Amino acid sequence: DAGVTQSPTHLIKTRGQQVTLRCSPISGHKSVSWYQQVLGQGPQFIFQYYEKEERGRGNFPDRFSARQFPNYSSELNVNALLLGDSALYLCASSFRQGAIDTQYFGPGTRLTVL
Amino acid sequence: AQKITQTQPGMFVQEKEAVTLDCTYDTSDQSYGLFWYKQPSSGEMIFLIYQGSYDEQNATEGRYSLNFQKARKSANLVISASQLGDSAMYFCAMREGGFTGGGNKLTFGTGTQLKVEL
């Protein structure tokens, strides 16, 4: 089975620009979460979507937004890019089995803001 | 206070030896889940093992086991018979609360860089 896929793999933008990152979950997974991982740190939670509704939002400014489509794929948008937005953006999908809800991550999109 | 604490920035282990990576957590919830992920230099986070707060037995997955000590709030990862391919960053993560309405935010520690040597 295909894992979580993300596109693009790498992206270079300049300050002030806008960026859209894409994620396709594992087939059958209805929940998608986004994380930002700055170099040398653990991932930080940005958003979670479940059945196309936002179910959680981390401590990120309104420049960050996301949505989930009917096929459960998701987009993360970041407006007015800052140098500090340079990071690895990870998407994870999950499917609840009983009390276990394991998140499976994609390869990430590495964003560089110049 | 840090919710997930990994106090070992880097660890070295000889091939075929066992190694323990430390993780302590802080939560007031009775229901929570603890996860370990491996992140090679390529960047992808690879799920290794899960422990639920109500699980009475320590979780095991192949060469990975989780030493869960609830009273101490620790969830250490034990890797047996280390292999060169185990060299990577390892993250401990926690999901607090029960699974309600789809909420499953993970809080990660700062990670431990493991290097397996010949």
Side-chain angles (χ1 to χ4, degrees):
Chain A
D1 289 342
V4 177
T5 60
Q6 292 186 244
S7 63
T9 306
H10 294 86
L11 206 50
I12 298 175
K13 292 286 188 178
T14 57
R15 282 177 294 175
Q17 285 189 310
Q18 175 265 340
V19 68
T20 298
L21 311 181
R22 295 176 176 82
C23 171
S24 291
I26 293 171
S27 177
H29 288 196
K30 299 180 179 181
S31 176
V32 170
S33 298
W34 288 95
Y35 292 81
Q36 180 197 65
Q37 187 178 20
V38 174
L39 194 62
Q41 297 182 17
Q44 297 288 317
F45 173 77
I46 309 175
F47 282 110
Q48 190 221 343
Y49 277 77
Y50 179 74
E51 288 280 18
K52 302 181 286 296
E53 292 187 6
E54 182 183 306
R55 295 304 182 107
R57 184 185 182 114
N59 188 24
F60 281 81
D62 292 343
R63 299 185 297 108
F64 288 77
S65 63
R67 56 179 174 168
Q68 187 178 32
F69 299 98
N71 66 354
Y72 303 109
S73 67
S74 177
E75 286 182 351
L76 175 71
N77 292 283
V78 187
N79 294 323
L81 285 167
L82 303 174
L83 296 179
D85 295 331
S86 294
L88 179 67
Y89 289 84
L90 294 163
C91 172
S93 74
S94 63
F95 175 75
R96 186 185 181 192
Q97 289 182 297
I100 300 174
D101 177 41
T102 299
Q103 293 187 43
Y104 296 92
F105 286 81
T109 294
R110 197 167 296 277
L111 172 65
T112 302
V113 182
L114 301 176
Chain B
Q2 294 286 334
K3 286 185 175 291
I4 296 287
T5 302
Q6 295 181 254
T7 58
Q8 306 154 313
M11 289 279 287
F12 290 89
V13 64
Q14 296 286 319
E15 194 181 22
K16 300 179 185 177
E17 297 290 314
V19 63
T20 298
L21 306 184
D22 294 341
C23 172
T24 57
Y25 60 92
D26 182 29
T27 181
S28 56
D29 287 342
Q30 295 300 308
S31 176
Y32 52 89
L34 298 158
F35 301 79
W36 277 91
Y37 286 87
K38 171 185 177 182
Q39 188 176 42
S41 56
S42 60
E44 184 170 355
M45 300 284 283
I46 301 168
F47 166 70
L48 297 178
I49 196 166
Y50 166 84
Q51 180 84 41
S53 59
Y54 293 120
D55 295 341
E56 294 184 351
Q57 299 213 353
N58 288 340
T60 59
E61 288 284 351
R63 294 187 299 111
Y64 303 108
S65 61
L66 201 153
N67 184 1
F68 181 47
Q69 298 187 39
K70 196 170 182 176
R72 294 186 173 186
K73 292 189 175 179
S74 74
N76 298 338
L77 176 70
V78 180
I79 305 175
S80 62
S82 296
Q83 302 172 356
L84 294 178
D86 293 335
S87 294
M89 183 71 87
Y90 288 80
F91 288 97
C92 180
M94 176 172 63
R95 186 200 71 239
E96 293 179 272
F99 184 85
T100 55
N104 62 356
K105 165 191 171 183
L106 289 179
T107 301
F108 285 83
T110 52
T112 295
Q113 182 71 48
L114 177 66
K115 181 73 185 296
V116 180
E117 302 174 316
L118 288 170

PDB file of all heavy atoms in Angstrom, chain A residues 66-96:
ATOM      1  N   ALA A  66      -5.195  25.807   6.359  1.00  0.00           N
ATOM      2  CA  ALA A  66      -5.212  24.486   5.723  1.00  0.00           C
ATOM      3  C   ALA A  66      -6.637  24.119   5.367  1.00  0.00           C
ATOM      4  O   ALA A  66      -7.599  24.767   5.807  1.00  0.00           O
ATOM      5  CB  ALA A  66      -4.598  23.432   6.655  1.00  0.00           C
ATOM      6  N   ARG A  67      -6.756  23.097   4.564  1.00  0.00           N
ATOM      7  CA  ARG A  67      -8.066  22.561   4.263  1.00  0.00           C
ATOM      8  C   ARG A  67      -7.918  21.099   3.869  1.00  0.00           C
ATOM      9  O   ARG A  67      -6.829  20.647   3.492  1.00  0.00           O
ATOM     10  CB  ARG A  67      -8.754  23.353   3.160  1.00  0.00           C
ATOM     11  CG  ARG A  67      -7.970  23.467   1.859  1.00  0.00           C
ATOM     12  CD  ARG A  67      -8.760  24.243   0.833  1.00  0.00           C
ATOM     13  NE  ARG A  67      -7.992  24.498  -0.386  1.00  0.00           N
ATOM     14  CZ  ARG A  67      -8.519  24.961  -1.513  1.00  0.00           C
ATOM     15  NH1 ARG A  67      -9.811  25.210  -1.576  1.00  0.00           N
ATOM     16  NH2 ARG A  67      -7.762  25.169  -2.580  1.00  0.00           N
ATOM     17  N   GLN A  68      -9.044  20.391   3.950  1.00  0.00           N
ATOM     18  CA  GLN A  68      -9.065  18.990   3.553  1.00  0.00           C
ATOM     19  C   GLN A  68     -10.155  18.808   2.524  1.00  0.00           C
ATOM     20  O   GLN A  68     -11.251  19.356   2.658  1.00  0.00           O
ATOM     21  CB  GLN A  68      -9.305  18.073   4.764  1.00  0.00           C
ATOM     22  CG  GLN A  68      -9.173  16.588   4.447  1.00  0.00           C
ATOM     23  CD  GLN A  68      -9.355  15.702   5.669  1.00  0.00           C
ATOM     24  OE1 GLN A  68     -10.108  16.019   6.586  1.00  0.00           O
ATOM     25  NE2 GLN A  68      -8.664  14.560   5.691  1.00  0.00           N
ATOM     26  N   PHE A  69      -9.874  18.038   1.520  1.00  0.00           N
ATOM     27  CA  PHE A  69     -10.787  17.844   0.404  1.00  0.00           C
ATOM     28  C   PHE A  69     -11.626  16.573   0.586  1.00  0.00           C
ATOM     29  O   PHE A  69     -11.314  15.737   1.439  1.00  0.00           O
ATOM     30  CB  PHE A  69      -9.976  17.789  -0.900  1.00  0.00           C
ATOM     31  CG  PHE A  69      -9.210  19.049  -1.166  1.00  0.00           C
ATOM     32  CD1 PHE A  69      -7.868  19.147  -0.840  1.00  0.00           C
ATOM     33  CD2 PHE A  69      -9.843  20.163  -1.712  1.00  0.00           C
ATOM     34  CE1 PHE A  69      -7.162  20.321  -1.068  1.00  0.00           C
ATOM     35  CE2 PHE A  69      -9.155  21.333  -1.940  1.00  0.00           C
ATOM     36  CZ  PHE A  69      -7.809  21.415  -1.603  1.00  0.00           C
ATOM     37  N   PRO A  70     -12.682  16.426  -0.231  1.00  0.00           N
ATOM     38  CA  PRO A  70     -13.539  15.237  -0.095  1.00  0.00           C
ATOM     39  C   PRO A  70     -12.791  13.910  -0.221  1.00  0.00           C
ATOM     40  O   PRO A  70     -13.218  12.903   0.348  1.00  0.00           O
ATOM     41  CB  PRO A  70     -14.559  15.407  -1.228  1.00  0.00           C
ATOM     42  CG  PRO A  70     -14.664  16.882  -1.397  1.00  0.00           C
ATOM     43  CD  PRO A  70     -13.267  17.411  -1.163  1.00  0.00           C
ATOM     44  N   ASN A  71     -11.668  13.896  -0.938  1.00  0.00           N
ATOM     45  CA  ASN A  71     -10.901  12.646  -1.042  1.00  0.00           C
ATOM     46  C   ASN A  71      -9.883  12.517   0.095  1.00  0.00           C
ATOM     47  O   ASN A  71      -9.028  11.636   0.060  1.00  0.00           O
ATOM     48  CB  ASN A  71     -10.181  12.566  -2.392  1.00  0.00           C
ATOM     49  CG  ASN A  71      -9.111  13.626  -2.553  1.00  0.00           C
ATOM     50  OD1 ASN A  71      -8.964  14.509  -1.703  1.00  0.00           O
ATOM     51  ND2 ASN A  71      -8.357  13.549  -3.640  1.00  0.00           N
ATOM     52  N   TYR A  72      -9.989  13.390   1.102  1.00  0.00           N
ATOM     53  CA  TYR A  72      -9.172  13.398   2.326  1.00  0.00           C
ATOM     54  C   TYR A  72      -7.755  13.927   2.113  1.00  0.00           C
ATOM     55  O   TYR A  72      -7.005  13.997   3.092  1.00  0.00           O
ATOM     56  CB  TYR A  72      -9.135  12.031   3.001  1.00  0.00           C
ATOM     57  CG  TYR A  72     -10.514  11.537   3.342  1.00  0.00           C
ATOM     58  CD1 TYR A  72     -11.089  10.473   2.649  1.00  0.00           C
ATOM     59  CD2 TYR A  72     -11.268  12.158   4.324  1.00  0.00           C
ATOM     60  CE1 TYR A  72     -12.374  10.045   2.930  1.00  0.00           C
ATOM     61  CE2 TYR A  72     -12.561  11.743   4.617  1.00  0.00           C
ATOM     62  CZ  TYR A  72     -13.109  10.690   3.919  1.00  0.00           C
ATOM     63  OH  TYR A  72     -14.383  10.275   4.188  1.00  0.00           O
ATOM     64  N   SER A  73      -7.395  14.301   0.900  1.00  0.00           N
ATOM     65  CA  SER A  73      -6.112  14.974   0.726  1.00  0.00           C
ATOM     66  C   SER A  73      -6.188  16.351   1.366  1.00  0.00           C
ATOM     67  O   SER A  73      -7.275  16.834   1.698  1.00  0.00           O
ATOM     68  CB  SER A  73      -5.747  15.080  -0.751  1.00  0.00           C
ATOM     69  OG  SER A  73      -6.649  15.950  -1.421  1.00  0.00           O
ATOM     70  N   SER A  74      -5.033  16.969   1.550  1.00  0.00           N
ATOM     71  CA  SER A  74      -5.015  18.232   2.288  1.00  0.00           C
ATOM     72  C   SER A  74      -3.987  19.180   1.710  1.00  0.00           C
ATOM     73  O   SER A  74      -3.021  18.767   1.065  1.00  0.00           O
ATOM     74  CB  SER A  74      -4.696  17.959   3.766  1.00  0.00           C
ATOM     75  OG  SER A  74      -4.607  19.156   4.522  1.00  0.00           O
ATOM     76  N   GLU A  75      -4.224  20.452   1.905  1.00  0.00           N
ATOM     77  CA  GLU A  75      -3.279  21.509   1.553  1.00  0.00           C
ATOM     78  C   GLU A  75      -2.989  22.365   2.773  1.00  0.00           C
ATOM     79  O   GLU A  75      -3.894  22.655   3.561  1.00  0.00           O
ATOM     80  CB  GLU A  75      -3.849  22.410   0.453  1.00  0.00           C
ATOM     81  CG  GLU A  75      -3.875  21.795  -0.912  1.00  0.00           C
ATOM     82  CD  GLU A  75      -4.400  22.774  -1.968  1.00  0.00           C
ATOM     83  OE1 GLU A  75      -4.892  23.860  -1.612  1.00  0.00           O
ATOM     84  OE2 GLU A  75      -4.315  22.427  -3.161  1.00  0.00           O
ATOM     85  N   LEU A  76      -1.735  22.763   2.884  1.00  0.00           N
ATOM     86  CA  LEU A  76      -1.317  23.728   3.893  1.00  0.00           C
ATOM     87  C   LEU A  76      -0.852  24.967   3.162  1.00  0.00           C
ATOM     88  O   LEU A  76      -0.013  24.886   2.265  1.00  0.00           O
ATOM     89  CB  LEU A  76      -0.183  23.168   4.756  1.00  0.00           C
ATOM     90  CG  LEU A  76       0.419  24.138   5.772  1.00  0.00           C
ATOM     91  CD1 LEU A  76      -0.561  24.417   6.905  1.00  0.00           C
ATOM     92  CD2 LEU A  76       1.736  23.587   6.339  1.00  0.00           C
ATOM     93  N   ASN A  77      -1.407  26.121   3.513  1.00  0.00           N
ATOM     94  CA  ASN A  77      -1.024  27.387   2.915  1.00  0.00           C
ATOM     95  C   ASN A  77      -0.340  28.269   3.941  1.00  0.00           C
ATOM     96  O   ASN A  77      -0.776  28.332   5.096  1.00  0.00           O
ATOM     97  CB  ASN A  77      -2.262  28.125   2.391  1.00  0.00           C
ATOM     98  CG  ASN A  77      -2.878  27.404   1.212  1.00  0.00           C
ATOM     99  OD1 ASN A  77      -2.379  27.474   0.100  1.00  0.00           O
ATOM    100  ND2 ASN A  77      -3.950  26.693   1.468  1.00  0.00           N
ATOM    101  N   VAL A  78       0.708  28.905   3.514  1.00  0.00           N
ATOM    102  CA  VAL A  78       1.393  29.869   4.370  1.00  0.00           C
ATOM    103  C   VAL A  78       1.543  31.159   3.574  1.00  0.00           C
ATOM    104  O   VAL A  78       2.131  31.164   2.482  1.00  0.00           O
ATOM    105  CB  VAL A  78       2.778  29.376   4.829  1.00  0.00           C
ATOM    106  CG1 VAL A  78       3.368  30.354   5.851  1.00  0.00           C
ATOM    107  CG2 VAL A  78       2.693  27.978   5.430  1.00  0.00           C
ATOM    108  N   ASN A  79       0.993  32.241   4.102  1.00  0.00           N
ATOM    109  CA  ASN A  79       1.069  33.551   3.449  1.00  0.00           C
ATOM    110  C   ASN A  79       2.177  34.400   4.060  1.00  0.00           C
ATOM    111  O   ASN A  79       2.614  34.141   5.191  1.00  0.00           O
ATOM    112  CB  ASN A  79      -0.269  34.292   3.612  1.00  0.00           C
ATOM    113  CG  ASN A  79      -1.381  33.604   2.864  1.00  0.00           C
ATOM    114  OD1 ASN A  79      -1.177  33.087   1.776  1.00  0.00           O
ATOM    115  ND2 ASN A  79      -2.563  33.594   3.456  1.00  0.00           N
ATOM    116  N   ALA A  80       2.582  35.415   3.325  1.00  0.00           N
ATOM    117  CA  ALA A  80       3.547  36.405   3.828  1.00  0.00           C
ATOM    118  C   ALA A  80       4.726  35.722   4.514  1.00  0.00           C
ATOM    119  O   ALA A  80       5.003  35.940   5.692  1.00  0.00           O
ATOM    120  CB  ALA A  80       2.838  37.369   4.779  1.00  0.00           C
ATOM    121  N   LEU A  81       5.404  34.900   3.769  1.00  0.00           N
ATOM    122  CA  LEU A  81       6.481  34.080   4.330  1.00  0.00           C
ATOM    123  C   LEU A  81       7.555  34.911   5.034  1.00  0.00           C
ATOM    124  O   LEU A  81       7.950  35.991   4.564  1.00  0.00           O
ATOM    125  CB  LEU A  81       7.124  33.243   3.223  1.00  0.00           C
ATOM    126  CG  LEU A  81       6.301  32.043   2.730  1.00  0.00           C
ATOM    127  CD1 LEU A  81       6.891  31.491   1.442  1.00  0.00           C
ATOM    128  CD2 LEU A  81       6.231  30.966   3.806  1.00  0.00           C
ATOM    129  N   LEU A  82       8.002  34.370   6.163  1.00  0.00           N
ATOM    130  CA  LEU A  82       9.100  34.942   6.926  1.00  0.00           C
ATOM    131  C   LEU A  82      10.292  33.989   6.879  1.00  0.00           C
ATOM    132  O   LEU A  82      10.127  32.790   6.633  1.00  0.00           O
ATOM    133  CB  LEU A  82       8.679  35.161   8.378  1.00  0.00           C
ATOM    134  CG  LEU A  82       7.444  36.032   8.628  1.00  0.00           C
ATOM    135  CD1 LEU A  82       7.086  36.025  10.098  1.00  0.00           C
ATOM    136  CD2 LEU A  82       7.683  37.456   8.129  1.00  0.00           C
ATOM    137  N   LEU A  83      11.484  34.526   7.167  1.00  0.00           N
ATOM    138  CA  LEU A  83      12.668  33.662   7.186  1.00  0.00           C
ATOM    139  C   LEU A  83      12.484  32.507   8.164  1.00  0.00           C
ATOM    140  O   LEU A  83      12.928  31.383   7.912  1.00  0.00           O
ATOM    141  CB  LEU A  83      13.909  34.471   7.569  1.00  0.00           C
ATOM    142  CG  LEU A  83      14.344  35.574   6.602  1.00  0.00           C
ATOM    143  CD1 LEU A  83      15.570  36.305   7.145  1.00  0.00           C
ATOM    144  CD2 LEU A  83      14.631  35.015   5.218  1.00  0.00           C
ATOM    145  N   GLY A  84      11.803  32.768   9.265  1.00  0.00           N
ATOM    146  CA  GLY A  84      11.589  31.757  10.302  1.00  0.00           C
ATOM    147  C   GLY A  84      10.644  30.642   9.904  1.00  0.00           C
ATOM    148  O   GLY A  84      10.498  29.667  10.647  1.00  0.00           O
ATOM    149  N   ASP A  85      10.007  30.776   8.744  1.00  0.00           N
ATOM    150  CA  ASP A  85       9.124  29.697   8.262  1.00  0.00           C
ATOM    151  C   ASP A  85       9.920  28.600   7.576  1.00  0.00           C
ATOM    152  O   ASP A  85       9.355  27.557   7.220  1.00  0.00           O
ATOM    153  CB  ASP A  85       8.080  30.257   7.289  1.00  0.00           C
ATOM    154  CG  ASP A  85       7.123  31.226   7.955  1.00  0.00           C
ATOM    155  OD1 ASP A  85       6.872  31.071   9.171  1.00  0.00           O
ATOM    156  OD2 ASP A  85       6.625  32.137   7.262  1.00  0.00           O
ATOM    157  N   SER A  86      11.203  28.824   7.386  1.00  0.00           N
ATOM    158  CA  SER A  86      12.057  27.788   6.786  1.00  0.00           C
ATOM    159  C   SER A  86      12.080  26.570   7.704  1.00  0.00           C
ATOM    160  O   SER A  86      12.451  26.661   8.879  1.00  0.00           O
ATOM    161  CB  SER A  86      13.483  28.316   6.610  1.00  0.00           C
ATOM    162  OG  SER A  86      13.523  29.355   5.665  1.00  0.00           O
ATOM    163  N   ALA A  87      11.664  25.432   7.169  1.00  0.00           N
ATOM    164  CA  ALA A  87      11.521  24.233   7.996  1.00  0.00           C
ATOM    165  C   ALA A  87      11.144  23.057   7.119  1.00  0.00           C
ATOM    166  O   ALA A  87      10.869  23.213   5.918  1.00  0.00           O
ATOM    167  CB  ALA A  87      10.437  24.443   9.060  1.00  0.00           C
ATOM    168  N   LEU A  88      11.104  21.894   7.754  1.00  0.00           N
ATOM    169  CA  LEU A  88      10.548  20.699   7.118  1.00  0.00           C
ATOM    170  C   LEU A  88       9.086  20.612   7.548  1.00  0.00           C
ATOM    171  O   LEU A  88       8.786  20.623   8.740  1.00  0.00           O
ATOM    172  CB  LEU A  88      11.308  19.457   7.580  1.00  0.00           C
ATOM    173  CG  LEU A  88      10.834  18.104   7.033  1.00  0.00           C
ATOM    174  CD1 LEU A  88      11.088  18.011   5.526  1.00  0.00           C
ATOM    175  CD2 LEU A  88      11.543  16.956   7.758  1.00  0.00           C
ATOM    176  N   TYR A  89       8.189  20.558   6.580  1.00  0.00           N
ATOM    177  CA  TYR A  89       6.769  20.458   6.873  1.00  0.00           C
ATOM    178  C   TYR A  89       6.328  19.021   6.648  1.00  0.00           C
ATOM    179  O   TYR A  89       6.421  18.481   5.542  1.00  0.00           O
ATOM    180  CB  TYR A  89       5.969  21.446   6.019  1.00  0.00           C
ATOM    181  CG  TYR A  89       6.197  22.868   6.477  1.00  0.00           C
ATOM    182  CD1 TYR A  89       7.302  23.590   6.023  1.00  0.00           C
ATOM    183  CD2 TYR A  89       5.347  23.461   7.398  1.00  0.00           C
ATOM    184  CE1 TYR A  89       7.542  24.877   6.482  1.00  0.00           C
ATOM    185  CE2 TYR A  89       5.576  24.748   7.852  1.00  0.00           C
ATOM    186  CZ  TYR A  89       6.675  25.444   7.399  1.00  0.00           C
ATOM    187  OH  TYR A  89       6.916  26.711   7.863  1.00  0.00           O
ATOM    188  N   LEU A  90       5.827  18.445   7.717  1.00  0.00           N
ATOM    189  CA  LEU A  90       5.450  17.039   7.702  1.00  0.00           C
ATOM    190  C   LEU A  90       3.937  16.892   7.753  1.00  0.00           C
ATOM    191  O   LEU A  90       3.260  17.579   8.516  1.00  0.00           O
ATOM    192  CB  LEU A  90       6.063  16.311   8.899  1.00  0.00           C
ATOM    193  CG  LEU A  90       7.595  16.204   8.907  1.00  0.00           C
ATOM    194  CD1 LEU A  90       8.101  15.855  10.295  1.00  0.00           C
ATOM    195  CD2 LEU A  90       8.057  15.169   7.899  1.00  0.00           C
ATOM    196  N   CYS A  91       3.440  15.985   6.945  1.00  0.00           N
ATOM    197  CA  CYS A  91       2.025  15.636   6.952  1.00  0.00           C
ATOM    198  C   CYS A  91       1.899  14.219   7.497  1.00  0.00           C
ATOM    199  O   CYS A  91       2.751  13.365   7.214  1.00  0.00           O
ATOM    200  CB  CYS A  91       1.463  15.721   5.533  1.00  0.00           C
ATOM    201  SG  CYS A  91      -0.206  15.105   5.352  1.00  0.00           S
ATOM    202  N   ALA A  92       0.880  13.977   8.286  1.00  0.00           N
ATOM    203  CA  ALA A  92       0.639  12.636   8.832  1.00  0.00           C
ATOM    204  C   ALA A  92      -0.829  12.287   8.660  1.00  0.00           C
ATOM    205  O   ALA A  92      -1.697  13.143   8.806  1.00  0.00           O
ATOM    206  CB  ALA A  92       1.024  12.586  10.309  1.00  0.00           C
ATOM    207  N   SER A  93      -1.081  11.031   8.359  1.00  0.00           N
ATOM    208  CA  SER A  93      -2.467  10.576   8.306  1.00  0.00           C
ATOM    209  C   SER A  93      -2.663   9.472   9.337  1.00  0.00           C
ATOM    210  O   SER A  93      -1.697   8.821   9.765  1.00  0.00           O
ATOM    211  CB  SER A  93      -2.845  10.082   6.903  1.00  0.00           C
ATOM    212  OG  SER A  93      -2.276   8.814   6.614  1.00  0.00           O
ATOM    213  N   SER A  94      -3.902   9.307   9.760  1.00  0.00           N
ATOM    214  CA  SER A  94      -4.168   8.315  10.793  1.00  0.00           C
ATOM    215  C   SER A  94      -5.549   7.713  10.615  1.00  0.00           C
ATOM    216  O   SER A  94      -6.443   8.294  10.002  1.00  0.00           O
ATOM    217  CB  SER A  94      -4.034   8.927  12.191  1.00  0.00           C
ATOM    218  OG  SER A  94      -4.983   9.952  12.388  1.00  0.00           O
ATOM    219  N   PHE A  95      -5.690   6.532  11.192  1.00  0.00           N
ATOM    220  CA  PHE A  95      -6.938   5.789  11.179  1.00  0.00           C
ATOM    221  C   PHE A  95      -7.084   5.147  12.536  1.00  0.00           C
ATOM    222  O   PHE A  95      -6.207   4.410  12.971  1.00  0.00           O
ATOM    223  CB  PHE A  95      -6.908   4.721  10.082  1.00  0.00           C
ATOM    224  CG  PHE A  95      -8.113   3.834  10.079  1.00  0.00           C
ATOM    225  CD1 PHE A  95      -9.319   4.307   9.597  1.00  0.00           C
ATOM    226  CD2 PHE A  95      -8.051   2.541  10.553  1.00  0.00           C
ATOM    227  CE1 PHE A  95     -10.444   3.496   9.589  1.00  0.00           C
ATOM    228  CE2 PHE A  95      -9.159   1.726  10.570  1.00  0.00           C
ATOM    229  CZ  PHE A  95     -10.363   2.206  10.079  1.00  0.00           C
ATOM    230  N   ARG A  96      -8.197   5.448  13.196  1.00  0.00           N
ATOM    231  CA  ARG A  96      -8.365   4.958  14.551  1.00  0.00           C
ATOM    232  C   ARG A  96      -8.750   3.483  14.546  1.00  0.00           C
ATOM    233  O   ARG A  96      -9.685   3.084  13.866  1.00  0.00           O
ATOM    234  CB  ARG A  96      -9.422   5.759  15.285  1.00  0.00           C
ATOM    235  CG  ARG A  96      -9.531   5.372  16.755  1.00  0.00           C
ATOM    236  CD  ARG A  96     -10.661   6.098  17.437  1.00  0.00           C
ATOM    237  NE  ARG A  96     -10.734   5.723  18.846  1.00  0.00           N
ATOM    238  CZ  ARG A  96     -11.765   6.029  19.620  1.00  0.00           C
ATOM    239  NH1 ARG A  96     -12.779   6.712  19.133  1.00  0.00           N
ATOM    240  NH2 ARG A  96     -11.771   5.662  20.880  1.00  0.00           N
TER     241      ARG A  96
END
